[in-house]
């Protein structure tokens, strides 16, 4: 790659930080750019999760989806991965296996040789690290290290911005809760109070004034319809902030991360292709169906692992929630939760399919039109 091409590629990576993309997309762009710019065969970026000892984000480039699936769960913070998260100095090795902290790599993991690691630093805090291996034209040198340091700086910007956004989102959630409480009190609560009074009046008139009771019941019906409309409008306004701002993949990633922390089962998200933005009603339906399927699996399936898969298949965005639990009973197939998910899917032109075998787990598959 000549100097002009290198500058253009670096510029694209830097601009990705300021583009309106999810932080996962930005980090993926930085990793892909690092691999191309440094002519490496493999690249990865890890952001540690202090609570689980694993990684909150771990994006790779140079490995196929099939190979990534064979490698298995996300790595833990050990060996050289841990070194890069404790020491702010870059690490350049001609043979990664010669380092005293090298341990092993899992079955199906690619064979790594030369290695360049760069911590992602903000102030005195290490936010994560970039890892490159197997340079195609020799070994990593000082120029490679300098270039990777620039990309690590921009990765730090992306991660700090994501933190600031998360804090502002939490404030927005609190403000939204207050707004909903006010609206419920001001409109729906008043209508329900009127509904109760009118129902009481109708009950008192049934015996001595049937016509008057019928008129009161018509008022009950009208008030109930108005209250339902009010509730519907409030619920529509409760679209998750992450979903509206960053898209389905970012919203599901945060939901999965939270569930993985609070449940014994291992909960993971696998995004197999770029996820396009959909119309708001379709994104909302996909998010709610995935959310319901996740909670069903965690509450009822007795599963050890639950995986959400997100990918594009032809003209459809596909969301799959798969667990290795006990499977559905025949009676569960007609449960209210599944009926609600099917209604959500059909309301946006999508389709829902549930496959389950006793003792072998359940897969809930939602297909939503992209166009």
């Amino acid at each position: 790659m000549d100097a002009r091409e290198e500058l253009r590629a670096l510029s694209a990576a830097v601009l990705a930080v300021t583009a309106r993309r999810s932080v996962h997309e930005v980090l993926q762009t930085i990793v892909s750019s690092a691999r191309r710019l440094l002519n490496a065969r493999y690249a990865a970026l890890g952001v540690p999760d202090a609570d689980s000892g694993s990684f909150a984000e771990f994006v790779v480039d140079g490995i196929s989806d099939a190979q990534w699936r064979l490698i298995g769960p996300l790595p833990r913070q050990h060996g050289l991965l841990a070194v890069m998260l404790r020491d702010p100095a870059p690490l350049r090795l001609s043979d990664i296996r010669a380092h005293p902290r090298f341990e092993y790599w899992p079955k199906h993991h690619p064979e790594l040789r030369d290695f360049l690691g760069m911590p992602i630093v903000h102030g005195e805090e290490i936010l994560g690290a970039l890892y490159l291996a197997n340079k195609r034209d020799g070994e990593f040198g000082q120029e490679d290290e300098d270039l990777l340091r620039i990309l690590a700086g921009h990765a730090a910007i992306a991660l700090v911005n994501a933190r600031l956004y998360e804090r502002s989102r939490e404030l927005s959630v609190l403000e939204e809760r207050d707004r909903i409480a006010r609206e419920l009190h001001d409109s729906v609560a008043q209508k329900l109070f009127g509904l109760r009074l009118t129902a009481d009046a109708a009950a008192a008139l049934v015996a001595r004034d049937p016509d008057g009771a019928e008129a009161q019941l018509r008022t009950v019906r009208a008030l109930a319809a108005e209250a339902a409309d009010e509730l519907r409008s409030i619920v529509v306004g409760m679209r998750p902030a992450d979903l509206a701002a960053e898209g389905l993949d970012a919203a599901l990633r945060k939901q999965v991360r939270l569930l993985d922390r609070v449940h014994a089962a291992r909960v993971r998200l696998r995004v197999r292709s770029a996820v396009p933005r959909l119309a708001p009603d379709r994104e909302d339906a996909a998010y709610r169906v995935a959310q319901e399927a996740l909670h069903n699996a965690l509450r009822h399936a007795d599963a050890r692992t639950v995986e959400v898969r997100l990918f594009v298949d032809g003209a459809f965005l596909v969301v799959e929630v798969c667990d290795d639990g006990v499977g559905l009973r025949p009676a569960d197939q007609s449960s209210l939760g599944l009926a609600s998910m099917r209604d959500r899917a059909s309301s946006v032109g999508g389709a829902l399919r549930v496959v389950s075998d006793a003792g072998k787990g359940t897969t809930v598959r939602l297909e939503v039109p992209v166009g």
Side-chain angles (χ1 to χ4, degrees), residues 263 291-303 337:
H263 287 275
Q291 195 175 45
E292 178 72 18
L294 274 167
H295 285 289
N296 285 345
L298 292 169
R299 282 196 303 260
H300 307 302
D302 193 25

Side-chain angles (χ1 to χ4, degrees), residues 21 43 51 88 135 185 187 195 203 215 239 259 281 296 349:
R21 300 181 183 178
D51 296 329
K135 188 171 175 64
H185 181 269
S187 58
L195 184 63
R239 189 168 186 241
L259 294 175
D281 60 336
N296 285 345

Side-chain angles (χ1 to χ4, degrees), residues 39-281:
N39 201 20
R41 185 168 183 181
Y42 305 111
L45 187 154
V47 179
D49 184 340
D51 296 329
S52 69
S54 182
F55 286 86
E57 294 276 0
F58 200 87
V59 294
V60 299
D61 195 56
I63 295 176
S64 68
D65 288 344
Q67 188 176 6
W68 183 244
R69 285 194 294 272
L70 288 172
I71 291 172
L74 286 177
R76 312 292 290 178
Q77 297 174 34
H78 60 74
L80 277 177
L81 294 182
V83 169
M84 303 305 304
L85 299 174
R86 308 289 184 270
D87 188 345
L91 182 63
R92 186 158 25 113
L93 303 168
S94 58
D95 188 344
I96 189 173
R97 294 163 293 189
H99 193 277
R101 289 295 301 276
F102 173 77
E103 295 180 357
Y104 66 93
W105 39 65
K107 186 179 180 181
H108 304 296
H109 194 285
E111 191 86 6
L112 306 184
R113 300 185 309 275
D114 49 313
F115 173 84
L116 176 59
M118 181 67 63
I120 300 169
V121 180
H122 176 67
E124 296 183 355
E125 182 183 5
I126 299 177
L127 304 178
L130 275 161
Y131 312 101
L132 276 81
N134 294 25
K135 188 171 175 64
R136 296 178 185 276
D137 52 352
E139 296 183 358
F140 296 108
Q142 187 61 47
E143 288 185 1
D144 298 315
E145 188 176 309
D146 294 340
L147 186 56
L148 193 59
R149 184 177 285 107
I150 293 173
L151 290 173
H154 288 284
I157 293 172
L159 291 170
V160 170
N161 285 347
R163 282 185 178 180
L164 293 173
Y165 170 76
E166 182 66 21
R167 289 171 187 164
S168 67
R169 188 190 69 85
E170 290 172 359
L171 289 174
S172 297
V173 168
L174 292 175
E175 292 170 356
E176 183 69 1
R177 286 177 180 169
D178 290 341
R179 180 189 70 80
I180 292 167
R182 288 194 302 271
E183 289 192 11
L184 285 170
H185 181 269
D186 293 343
S187 58
V188 179
Q190 292 178 14
K191 283 186 172 61
L192 291 176
F193 181 68
L195 184 63
R196 179 181 175 184
L197 290 179
T198 308
D200 289 343
L205 290 172
V206 167
R208 58 187 176 84
D209 185 2
D211 292 339
E214 185 178 349
Q216 293 291 344
L217 288 174
R218 285 197 295 270
T219 304
V220 167
R221 187 181 298 112
L223 285 172
E226 290 178 14
D229 288 342
E230 290 280 357
L231 280 172
R232 191 176 297 110
S233 66
I234 291 172
V235 169
V236 168
M238 291 171 62
R239 189 168 186 241
D242 290 328
L243 189 62
E246 298 185 72
L248 183 61
D249 53 338
L252 284 177
R253 184 169 288 106
K254 291 181 180 178
Q255 177 77 1
V256 162
R257 189 181 303 161
L258 173 63
L259 294 175
D260 185 54
R261 288 176 181 172
V262 300
H263 287 275
R266 193 172 182 85
V267 188
R268 287 291 177 262
L269 172 68
R270 189 178 297 279
V271 181
R272 285 164 37 189
S273 57
V275 179
R277 294 304 304 261
L278 306 180
D281 60 336

